[in-house]
């Protein structure tokens, strides 16, 4: 067993553990409109949440304006609908952006949302350099597991690296990428493959930044990670120890890193939605609590706990409150935060660390033998392995749900939907577009030339370009590259 705060950091990143700094408590929120999301944020902050986490609807994730016919029926369905910087400004109205950390669950349109966040800060009188938070901005896992991508793989990764590069130069308090193993796990991977996918992705992103002339230490010190926890409490806690140990060792041995911050794997942990059931939903409180304990024992830096109603709907106020209170009770009414490494010295945990570690090493070797994670994604091999594991472990049967709001929302939420219906037409929201051809032309030129697109994105966002306009201006870069690949 290691020592907390010392290499390879398997026992924890800090000598004092949570006794010196608690994990950040987040609850994912993104409710249809910017106004309702702002109300939920105020509600959560009033209950003591220490970090905001913003979810976006599918059109926003895919770079579609809410009045695009393709977006019909999906606007505001799985998160907040954002078309312009003014929408994001409404989400954060009254929230001091220089004092609250914000996690953006956004990937393909992460560059666009980052530009909007910067402009919202500027227009509210906050220096963007004071912003704190995390952008998911993780495109490899989109191609592997979620499939919410806009451009081809190479172009998608290029724009993700543009975000990393811009944040390194201009936004010291923002983690520009959150490398994910958890999404592969939700898709069917086991605990070892979850860790291996994240570590293999590190090599791809870090290699891309090194090719741009950045040092491994400077880049790796800005990385953060996403994992999940399932119902095997001790094994999940051990898995996080393995992830920290292997990451530190690979940073030192593979990349020649010696700076401690660059060798410390900082993790956001989400309790797994796939473990929830819609039958007897109050039982999900117990499930989420078990998984939250696993995350805390494993040494997470940030934690999201699923709401008991999340198998049926976007979390309602009661579900969100109970999920947050679960974290607060663990932090303040138990002794979990009292000890730097409460599992240190456990033969059971050390055995699980050895077991999972060997499995992780095996997966990493297979991925490397096939040319790295990008090659494994292109060939379909890794997705096939995840699908095979999913069939071997189908999980609990939770039936098929009708996700329509009328079938799942509470009475108060249905009233809110009706109140907001004036902003939608046939499931879409009308958008007023500003004329900003010069800004969009500059963005198009930078996208085609290979320049970092963030400066041009920020200018176009200031001019009130919509997310659909921004994505269209950046699309020729993807089309040009795809044409070259197929010629």
């Amino acid at each position: 067993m290691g020592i907390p705060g010392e290499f390879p950091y398997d026992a924890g990143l800090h000598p004092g553990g949570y006794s010196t700094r608690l994990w950040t408590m987040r609850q994912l929120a993104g409710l249809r409109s910017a106004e309702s999301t702002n109300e939920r944020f105020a509600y959560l902050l009033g209950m003591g949440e220490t970090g905001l986490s913003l979810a976006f609807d599918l059109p926003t994730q895919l770079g579609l304006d809410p009045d695009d016919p393709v977006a019909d029926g999906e606007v505001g369905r799985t998160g907040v609908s954002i078309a312009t910087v003014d929408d994001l400004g409404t989400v954060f109205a009254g929230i001091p952006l220089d004092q609250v950390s914000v996690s953006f669950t956004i990937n393909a349109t992460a560059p666009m949302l980052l530009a909007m966040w910067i402009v919202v800060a500027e227009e509210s009188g906050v220096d963007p350099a004071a912003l704190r938070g995390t952008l998911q901005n993780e495109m490899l896992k989109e191609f592997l597991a979620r499939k919410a991508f806009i451009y081809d793989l190479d172009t998608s990764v290029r724009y993700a690296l543009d975000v990393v590069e811009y944040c390194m130069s201009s936004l010291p308090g923002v983690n520009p990428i959150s490398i994910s193993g958890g999404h592969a796990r939700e898709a069917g991977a086991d605990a070892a493959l979850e860790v291996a996918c994240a570590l293999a992705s590190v090599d791809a992103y870090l290699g891309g930044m090194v090719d741009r002339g950045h040092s491994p230490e400077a880049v790796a010190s800005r990385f953060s990670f996403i994992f999940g926890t399932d119902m095997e409490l001790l094994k999940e806690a051990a898995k996080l120890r393995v992830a920290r140990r292997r990451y530190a060792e690979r940073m030192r041995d593979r990349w020649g890193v010696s700076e401690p911050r660059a060798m410390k794997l900082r993790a956001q942990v989400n309790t797994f939605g796939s473990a929830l059931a819609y039958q007897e939903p109050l039982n999900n409180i117990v499930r989420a609590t078990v998984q939250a304990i696993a995350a805390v024992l494993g040494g997470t830096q940030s934690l999201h706990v699923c709401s008991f109603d999340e198998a049926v709907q976007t979390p309602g106020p009661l579900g969100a409150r109970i999920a947050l209170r679960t974290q607060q009770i663990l932090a303040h009414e138990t002794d979990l935060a009292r000890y730097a490494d409460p599992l240190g010295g456990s033969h059971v945990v050390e055995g699980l660390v050895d077991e999972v570690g060997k499995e992780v090493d095996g997966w990493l070797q297979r991925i490397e033998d096939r040319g790295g994670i990008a090659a494994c994604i292109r060939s379909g091999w890794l997705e096939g392995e995840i699908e095979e594991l999913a069939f071997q472990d189908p999980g609990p049967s939770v039936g098929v749900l009708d996700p329509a709001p009328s079938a799942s929302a509470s009475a108060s939420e249905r009233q809110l939907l009706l109140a907001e219906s004036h902003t939608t037409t046939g499931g879409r929201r009308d958008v007023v577009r500003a004329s900003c051809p010069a800004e969009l032309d500059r963005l198009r030129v930078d996208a085609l030339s290979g320049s970092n697109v963030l400066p041009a994105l920020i200018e176009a966002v200031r001019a009130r370009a919509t997310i659909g306009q921004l994505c269209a201006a950046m699309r020729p870069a993807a089309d040009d590259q795809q044409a070259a690949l197929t010629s």
Side-chain angles (χ1 to χ4, degrees), residues 29 37-46 52-54 91-92 95:
T37 300
N38 177 260
E39 291 174 7
R40 178 59 63 84
F41 276 170
Y43 174 74
L44 291 169
L45 288 171
L52 299 176
S53 188
L54 185 56
V91 167
F92 292 123
I95 295 172

Side-chain angles (χ1 to χ4, degrees), residues 192-216:
L193 184 51
E194 176 187 4
V195 173
C197 285
L199 296 181
S201 296
V202 167
D203 292 337
Y205 291 120
L206 190 51
M209 291 300 293
V210 170
D211 289 344
R212 293 186 178 205
H214 299 278
S215 75

Side-chain angles (χ1 to χ4, degrees), residues 50-71:
T50 56
L52 299 176
S53 188
L54 185 56
F56 301 87
D57 68 359
L58 192 58
T60 304
Q61 294 180 47
L62 294 176
L64 300 172
D65 288 333
D67 57 0
D68 190 314
V70 179

Side-chain angles (χ1 to χ4, degrees), residues 28 55-62 78 105-109 136-149 180 182-187 226 383 386:
L28 193 63
F56 301 87
D57 68 359
L58 192 58
T60 304
Q61 294 180 47
L62 294 176
T78 60
T105 305
I106 197 69
N107 297 285
T109 51
Q136 197 164 103
N137 187 37
E138 220 278 55
M139 291 310 302
L140 290 171
K141 69 97 170 57
E142 289 295 334
F143 283 84
L144 180 62
R146 285 194 72 244
K147 308 302 181 183
F149 50 83
S180 176
H183 291 85
R185 181 73 177 280
E186 290 271 35
I226 302 174
E383 187 174 354
I386 291 172

Side-chain angles (χ1 to χ4, degrees), residues 437-482:
E439 291 83 359
L440 290 172
D441 282 346
R442 180 194 168 190
L443 176 58
R444 191 173 292 110
V445 168
D446 285 358
L448 283 170
S449 70
S451 300
N452 191 307
V453 295
L454 259 299
L457 267 173
I458 293 167
E459 290 302 317
V461 164
R462 286 196 187 109
R464 268 46 192 179
T466 70
I467 197 164
Q469 290 174 313
L470 298 170
C471 287
M474 292 166 62
R475 189 177 297 279
D479 294 344
D480 184 65
Q481 184 165 357
Q482 189 63 36

Side-chain angles (χ1 to χ4, degrees), residues 34 56-57 60 66 80-84 87-88 91 113 116 429 467:
F56 301 87
D57 68 359
T60 304
V80 66
S81 172
I82 299 293
T84 71
D87 294 327
L88 196 64
V91 167
L113 269 298
M116 291 183 185
R429 181 166 64 89
I467 197 164

Side-chain angles (χ1 to χ4, degrees), residues 289-323:
T289 301
V290 169
Q291 295 171 53
I293 293 171
V296 173
L297 288 174
T300 186
Q301 280 64 63
S302 178
L303 178 59
H304 161 79
V305 174
C306 286
S307 302
F308 72 85
D309 53 353
E310 209 160 323
V312 180
Q313 64 179 31
T314 300
L318 178 61
R321 184 169 79 242
I322 291 175

Side-chain angles (χ1 to χ4, degrees), residues 320-332:
R321 184 169 79 242
I322 291 175
L324 179 57
R325 295 294 189 235
T326 298
Q327 296 203 50
Q328 292 167 334
I329 289 168
L330 294 180
H332 302 296

